[in-house]
PDB file of all heavy atoms in Angstrom:
ATOM      1  N   ALA A   2     -46.463  14.283 -89.893  1.00 96.00           N
ATOM      2  CA  ALA A   2     -46.944  15.366 -89.078  1.00 96.00           C
ATOM      3  C   ALA A   2     -47.590  16.472 -89.812  1.00 96.00           C
ATOM      4  O   ALA A   2     -48.637  17.050 -89.454  1.00 96.00           O
ATOM      5  CB  ALA A   2     -45.858  15.871 -88.200  1.00 96.00           C
ATOM      6  N   VAL A   3     -46.942  16.859 -90.993  1.00 97.00           N
ATOM      7  CA  VAL A   3     -47.427  17.922 -91.800  1.00 97.00           C
ATOM      8  C   VAL A   3     -48.760  17.497 -92.503  1.00 97.00           C
ATOM      9  O   VAL A   3     -49.737  18.375 -92.566  1.00 97.00           O
ATOM     10  CB  VAL A   3     -46.492  18.250 -92.883  1.00 97.00           C
ATOM     11  CG1 VAL A   3     -46.977  19.276 -93.871  1.00 97.00           C
ATOM     12  CG2 VAL A   3     -45.194  18.759 -92.262  1.00 97.00           C
ATOM     13  N   LEU A   4     -48.902  16.214 -92.770  1.00 97.00           N
ATOM     14  CA  LEU A   4     -50.152  15.727 -93.483  1.00 97.00           C
ATOM     15  C   LEU A   4     -51.327  15.649 -92.566  1.00 97.00           C
ATOM     16  O   LEU A   4     -52.481  15.817 -92.971  1.00 97.00           O
ATOM     17  CB  LEU A   4     -49.866  14.483 -94.149  1.00 97.00           C
ATOM     18  CG  LEU A   4     -48.951  14.283 -95.384  1.00 97.00           C
ATOM     19  CD1 LEU A   4     -48.731  12.939 -95.808  1.00 97.00           C
ATOM     20  CD2 LEU A   4     -49.617  15.181 -96.477  1.00 97.00           C
ATOM     21  N   TYR A   5     -51.013  15.419 -91.289  1.00 98.00           N
ATOM     22  CA  TYR A   5     -52.149  15.211 -90.290  1.00 98.00           C
ATOM     23  C   TYR A   5     -51.943  16.158 -89.004  1.00 98.00           C
ATOM     24  O   TYR A   5     -51.790  15.664 -87.967  1.00 98.00           O
ATOM     25  CB  TYR A   5     -52.088  13.753 -89.896  1.00 98.00           C
ATOM     26  CG  TYR A   5     -52.322  12.761 -91.018  1.00 98.00           C
ATOM     27  CD1 TYR A   5     -51.140  12.140 -91.564  1.00 98.00           C
ATOM     28  CD2 TYR A   5     -53.537  12.590 -91.733  1.00 98.00           C
ATOM     29  CE1 TYR A   5     -51.348  11.274 -92.626  1.00 98.00           C
ATOM     30  CE2 TYR A   5     -53.622  11.622 -92.628  1.00 98.00           C
ATOM     31  CZ  TYR A   5     -52.461  11.027 -93.203  1.00 98.00           C
ATOM     32  OH  TYR A   5     -52.718  10.164 -94.285  1.00 98.00           O
ATOM     33  N   PRO A   6     -52.269  17.498 -89.269  1.00 97.00           N
ATOM     34  CA  PRO A   6     -51.943  18.387 -88.286  1.00 97.00           C
ATOM     35  C   PRO A   6     -53.000  18.213 -87.094  1.00 97.00           C
ATOM     36  O   PRO A   6     -52.723  18.628 -85.944  1.00 97.00           O
ATOM     37  CB  PRO A   6     -52.102  19.779 -88.966  1.00 97.00           C
ATOM     38  CG  PRO A   6     -52.942  19.425 -90.202  1.00 97.00           C
ATOM     39  CD  PRO A   6     -52.478  18.061 -90.546  1.00 97.00           C
ATOM     40  N   GLU A   7     -54.141  17.623 -87.380  1.00 97.00           N
ATOM     41  CA  GLU A   7     -55.207  17.585 -86.285  1.00 97.00           C
ATOM     42  C   GLU A   7     -54.645  16.487 -85.360  1.00 97.00           C
ATOM     43  O   GLU A   7     -55.026  16.551 -84.062  1.00 97.00           O
ATOM     44  CB  GLU A   7     -56.466  17.023 -86.896  1.00 97.00           C
ATOM     45  CG  GLU A   7     -56.566  15.712 -87.616  1.00 97.00           C
ATOM     46  CD  GLU A   7     -55.896  15.664 -88.945  1.00 97.00           C
ATOM     47  OE1 GLU A   7     -55.520  16.696 -89.513  1.00 97.00           O
ATOM     48  OE2 GLU A   7     -55.817  14.438 -89.416  1.00 97.00           O
ATOM     49  N   ALA A   8     -53.872  15.516 -85.765  1.00 97.00           N
ATOM     50  CA  ALA A   8     -53.327  14.409 -84.870  1.00 97.00           C
ATOM     51  C   ALA A   8     -52.024  14.917 -84.329  1.00 97.00           C
ATOM     52  O   ALA A   8     -51.682  14.512 -83.194  1.00 97.00           O
ATOM     53  CB  ALA A   8     -53.179  13.152 -85.536  1.00 97.00           C
ATOM     54  N   PHE A   9     -51.247  15.623 -85.101  1.00 98.00           N
ATOM     55  CA  PHE A   9     -49.834  15.985 -84.688  1.00 98.00           C
ATOM     56  C   PHE A   9     -49.735  17.565 -84.833  1.00 98.00           C
ATOM     57  O   PHE A   9     -49.076  18.071 -85.772  1.00 98.00           O
ATOM     58  CB  PHE A   9     -48.830  15.382 -85.532  1.00 98.00           C
ATOM     59  CG  PHE A   9     -49.067  13.867 -85.657  1.00 98.00           C
ATOM     60  CD1 PHE A   9     -49.189  13.313 -86.994  1.00 98.00           C
ATOM     61  CD2 PHE A   9     -49.138  12.947 -84.586  1.00 98.00           C
ATOM     62  CE1 PHE A   9     -49.531  11.895 -87.122  1.00 98.00           C
ATOM     63  CE2 PHE A   9     -49.378  11.635 -84.825  1.00 98.00           C
ATOM     64  CZ  PHE A   9     -49.537  11.175 -86.032  1.00 98.00           C
ATOM     65  N   PRO A  10     -50.215  18.307 -83.913  1.00 97.00           N
ATOM     66  CA  PRO A  10     -50.241  19.705 -83.950  1.00 97.00           C
ATOM     67  C   PRO A  10     -48.883  20.440 -83.797  1.00 97.00           C
ATOM     68  O   PRO A  10     -48.673  21.595 -84.414  1.00 97.00           O
ATOM     69  CB  PRO A  10     -51.150  20.163 -82.840  1.00 97.00           C
ATOM     70  CG  PRO A  10     -51.105  19.105 -81.841  1.00 97.00           C
ATOM     71  CD  PRO A  10     -50.949  17.933 -82.693  1.00 97.00           C
ATOM     72  N   ASP A  11     -47.865  19.718 -83.291  1.00 97.00           N
ATOM     73  CA  ASP A  11     -46.573  20.341 -83.179  1.00 97.00           C
ATOM     74  C   ASP A  11     -45.606  19.664 -84.269  1.00 97.00           C
ATOM     75  O   ASP A  11     -44.719  18.853 -83.948  1.00 97.00           O
ATOM     76  CB  ASP A  11     -46.018  20.000 -81.782  1.00 97.00           C
ATOM     77  CG  ASP A  11     -44.747  20.904 -81.449  1.00 97.00           C
ATOM     78  OD1 ASP A  11     -44.327  21.577 -82.333  1.00 97.00           O
ATOM     79  OD2 ASP A  11     -44.252  20.731 -80.454  1.00 97.00           O
ATOM     80  N   ALA A  12     -45.829  19.929 -85.468  1.00 97.00           N
ATOM     81  CA  ALA A  12     -45.010  19.445 -86.575  1.00 97.00           C
ATOM     82  C   ALA A  12     -43.711  20.191 -86.650  1.00 97.00           C
ATOM     83  O   ALA A  12     -43.598  21.310 -86.526  1.00 97.00           O
ATOM     84  CB  ALA A  12     -45.760  19.572 -87.864  1.00 97.00           C
ATOM     85  N   ARG A  13     -42.671  19.354 -86.830  1.00 96.00           N
ATOM     86  CA  ARG A  13     -41.317  19.857 -86.880  1.00 96.00           C
ATOM     87  C   ARG A  13     -40.634  19.337 -88.201  1.00 96.00           C
ATOM     88  O   ARG A  13     -40.934  18.358 -88.760  1.00 96.00           O
ATOM     89  CB  ARG A  13     -40.423  19.545 -85.635  1.00 96.00           C
ATOM     90  CG  ARG A  13     -41.018  19.919 -84.388  1.00 96.00           C
ATOM     91  CD  ARG A  13     -41.040  21.407 -84.068  1.00 96.00           C
ATOM     92  NE  ARG A  13     -41.607  21.797 -82.775  1.00 96.00           N
ATOM     93  CZ  ARG A  13     -40.766  21.914 -81.719  1.00 96.00           C
ATOM     94  NH1 ARG A  13     -39.457  21.735 -81.767  1.00 96.00           N
ATOM     95  NH2 ARG A  13     -41.328  22.180 -80.602  1.00 96.00           N
ATOM     96  N   GLY A  14     -39.577  20.188 -88.638  1.00 93.00           N
ATOM     97  CA  GLY A  14     -38.784  19.724 -89.721  1.00 93.00           C
ATOM     98  C   GLY A  14     -37.572  18.829 -89.233  1.00 93.00           C
ATOM     99  O   GLY A  14     -37.275  18.804 -88.057  1.00 93.00           O
ATOM    100  N   PRO A  15     -36.885  18.186 -90.265  1.00 96.00           N
ATOM    101  CA  PRO A  15     -37.170  18.281 -91.665  1.00 96.00           C
ATOM    102  C   PRO A  15     -38.384  17.363 -92.048  1.00 96.00           C
ATOM    103  O   PRO A  15     -38.780  16.453 -91.313  1.00 96.00           O
ATOM    104  CB  PRO A  15     -35.843  17.703 -92.277  1.00 96.00           C
ATOM    105  CG  PRO A  15     -35.287  16.706 -91.239  1.00 96.00           C
ATOM    106  CD  PRO A  15     -35.727  17.324 -89.961  1.00 96.00           C
ATOM    107  N   GLU A  16     -38.938  17.690 -93.159  1.00 96.00           N
ATOM    108  CA  GLU A  16     -40.071  16.985 -93.683  1.00 96.00           C
ATOM    109  C   GLU A  16     -39.735  15.589 -94.254  1.00 96.00           C
ATOM    110  O   GLU A  16     -40.371  14.619 -94.167  1.00 96.00           O
ATOM    111  CB  GLU A  16     -40.860  17.798 -94.706  1.00 96.00           C
ATOM    112  CG  GLU A  16     -42.212  17.195 -95.063  1.00 96.00           C
ATOM    113  CD  GLU A  16     -43.005  18.146 -95.858  1.00 96.00           C
ATOM    114  OE1 GLU A  16     -42.808  19.428 -95.902  1.00 96.00           O
ATOM    115  OE2 GLU A  16     -44.011  17.665 -96.671  1.00 96.00           O
ATOM    116  N   HIS A  17     -38.577  15.640 -95.016  1.00 95.00           N
ATOM    117  CA  HIS A  17     -38.117  14.357 -95.712  1.00 95.00           C
ATOM    118  C   HIS A  17     -36.652  14.128 -95.173  1.00 95.00           C
ATOM    119  O   HIS A  17     -35.915  14.973 -94.789  1.00 95.00           O
ATOM    120  CB  HIS A  17     -38.106  14.566 -97.150  1.00 95.00           C
ATOM    121  CG  HIS A  17     -39.421  14.819 -97.668  1.00 95.00           C
ATOM    122  ND1 HIS A  17     -40.435  13.872 -97.777  1.00 95.00           N
ATOM    123  CD2 HIS A  17     -40.002  15.933 -98.349  1.00 95.00           C
ATOM    124  CE1 HIS A  17     -41.535  14.294 -98.286  1.00 95.00           C
ATOM    125  NE2 HIS A  17     -41.319  15.637 -98.627  1.00 95.00           N
ATOM    126  N   VAL A  18     -36.395  12.788 -95.308  1.00 96.00           N
ATOM    127  CA  VAL A  18     -35.035  12.340 -94.887  1.00 96.00           C
ATOM    128  C   VAL A  18     -34.014  12.802 -95.989  1.00 96.00           C
ATOM    129  O   VAL A  18     -34.255  13.068 -97.141  1.00 96.00           O
ATOM    130  CB  VAL A  18     -35.027  10.782 -94.916  1.00 96.00           C
ATOM    131  CG1 VAL A  18     -35.097  10.155 -96.240  1.00 96.00           C
ATOM    132  CG2 VAL A  18     -33.651  10.342 -94.104  1.00 96.00           C
ATOM    133  N   ALA A  19     -32.788  13.109 -95.430  1.00 97.00           N
ATOM    134  CA  ALA A  19     -31.721  13.539 -96.350  1.00 97.00           C
ATOM    135  C   ALA A  19     -30.496  12.502 -96.160  1.00 97.00           C
ATOM    136  O   ALA A  19     -30.258  12.043 -95.017  1.00 97.00           O
ATOM    137  CB  ALA A  19     -31.119  14.936 -96.023  1.00 97.00           C
ATOM    138  N   ALA A  20     -29.941  12.048 -97.257  1.00 97.00           N
ATOM    139  CA  ALA A  20     -28.964  11.055 -97.191  1.00 97.00           C
ATOM    140  C   ALA A  20     -27.741  11.555 -96.504  1.00 97.00           C
ATOM    141  O   ALA A  20     -27.036  10.658 -95.850  1.00 97.00           O
ATOM    142  CB  ALA A  20     -28.518  10.638 -98.636  1.00 97.00           C
ATOM    143  N   GLY A  21     -27.380  12.817 -96.365  1.00 97.00           N
ATOM    144  CA  GLY A  21     -26.331  13.286 -95.639  1.00 97.00           C
ATOM    145  C   GLY A  21     -26.476  12.917 -94.148  1.00 97.00           C
ATOM    146  O   GLY A  21     -25.557  12.569 -93.476  1.00 97.00           O
ATOM    147  N   ALA A  22     -27.710  13.172 -93.633  1.00 97.00           N
ATOM    148  CA  ALA A  22     -27.901  12.814 -92.179  1.00 97.00           C
ATOM    149  C   ALA A  22     -27.748  11.365 -91.915  1.00 97.00           C
ATOM    150  O   ALA A  22     -27.334  10.760 -90.905  1.00 97.00           O
ATOM    151  CB  ALA A  22     -29.243  13.327 -91.750  1.00 97.00           C
ATOM    152  N   LEU A  23     -28.284  10.461 -92.920  1.00 97.00           N
ATOM    153  CA  LEU A  23     -28.259   9.126 -92.880  1.00 97.00           C
ATOM    154  C   LEU A  23     -26.796   8.612 -92.869  1.00 97.00           C
ATOM    155  O   LEU A  23     -26.386   7.702 -92.027  1.00 97.00           O
ATOM    156  CB  LEU A  23     -28.896   8.358 -94.090  1.00 97.00           C
ATOM    157  CG  LEU A  23     -29.568   7.068 -93.860  1.00 97.00           C
ATOM    158  CD1 LEU A  23     -30.817   7.059 -92.955  1.00 97.00           C
ATOM    159  CD2 LEU A  23     -30.005   6.456 -95.258  1.00 97.00           C
ATOM    160  N   ALA A  24     -25.996   9.199 -93.674  1.00 97.00           N
ATOM    161  CA  ALA A  24     -24.533   8.776 -93.763  1.00 97.00           C
ATOM    162  C   ALA A  24     -23.803   9.227 -92.481  1.00 97.00           C
ATOM    163  O   ALA A  24     -23.006   8.589 -92.047  1.00 97.00           O
ATOM    164  CB  ALA A  24     -23.962   9.511 -94.975  1.00 97.00           C
ATOM    165  N   ALA A  25     -24.115  10.435 -91.992  1.00 97.00           N
ATOM    166  CA  ALA A  25     -23.439  10.986 -90.812  1.00 97.00           C
ATOM    167  C   ALA A  25     -23.810  10.077 -89.635  1.00 97.00           C
ATOM    168  O   ALA A  25     -22.835   9.805 -88.784  1.00 97.00           O
ATOM    169  CB  ALA A  25     -23.845  12.399 -90.595  1.00 97.00           C
ATOM    170  N   LEU A  26     -24.950   9.691 -89.507  1.00 97.00           N
ATOM    171  CA  LEU A  26     -25.471   8.787 -88.454  1.00 97.00           C
ATOM    172  C   LEU A  26     -24.695   7.492 -88.547  1.00 97.00           C
ATOM    173  O   LEU A  26     -24.200   6.919 -87.560  1.00 97.00           O
ATOM    174  CB  LEU A  26     -26.978   8.590 -88.405  1.00 97.00           C
ATOM    175  CG  LEU A  26     -27.501   7.588 -87.394  1.00 97.00           C
ATOM    176  CD1 LEU A  26     -27.063   8.101 -85.929  1.00 97.00           C
ATOM    177  CD2 LEU A  26     -28.990   7.550 -87.586  1.00 97.00           C
ATOM    178  N   ALA A  27     -24.658   6.874 -89.754  1.00 97.00           N
ATOM    179  CA  ALA A  27     -24.019   5.599 -89.927  1.00 97.00           C
ATOM    180  C   ALA A  27     -22.549   5.684 -89.625  1.00 97.00           C
ATOM    181  O   ALA A  27     -21.893   4.848 -88.940  1.00 97.00           O
ATOM    182  CB  ALA A  27     -24.219   5.120 -91.360  1.00 97.00           C
ATOM    183  N   ALA A  28     -21.879   6.812 -90.021  1.00 96.00           N
ATOM    184  CA  ALA A  28     -20.460   6.970 -89.784  1.00 96.00           C
ATOM    185  C   ALA A  28     -20.159   7.076 -88.212  1.00 96.00           C
ATOM    186  O   ALA A  28     -19.126   6.590 -87.721  1.00 96.00           O
ATOM    187  CB  ALA A  28     -19.907   8.277 -90.513  1.00 96.00           C
ATOM    188  N   GLU A  29     -21.078   7.789 -87.542  1.00 96.00           N
ATOM    189  CA  GLU A  29     -20.895   7.887 -86.122  1.00 96.00           C
ATOM    190  C   GLU A  29     -21.048   6.549 -85.465  1.00 96.00           C
ATOM    191  O   GLU A  29     -20.298   6.219 -84.559  1.00 96.00           O
ATOM    192  CB  GLU A  29     -21.989   8.866 -85.603  1.00 96.00           C
ATOM    193  CG  GLU A  29     -21.932   9.184 -84.166  1.00 96.00           C
ATOM    194  CD  GLU A  29     -23.003  10.232 -83.810  1.00 96.00           C
ATOM    195  OE1 GLU A  29     -22.895  11.435 -84.174  1.00 96.00           O
ATOM    196  OE2 GLU A  29     -23.877   9.856 -83.019  1.00 96.00           O
TER     197      GLU A  29
END
């Protein structure tokens, strides 16, 4: 979304994945 604002004007974070979120989702 950040790289192509003309296509995706409502860009939100986070920009990159974080392993902490990946682990929390897996644990859940």
Side-chain angles (χ1 to χ4, degrees):
V3 175
L4 290 174
Y5 303 100
E7 68 285 352
F9 313 119
D11 190 2
R13 304 289 183 95
E16 187 171 339
H17 298 290
V18 68
L23 209 70
L26 176 58
E29 185 178 293

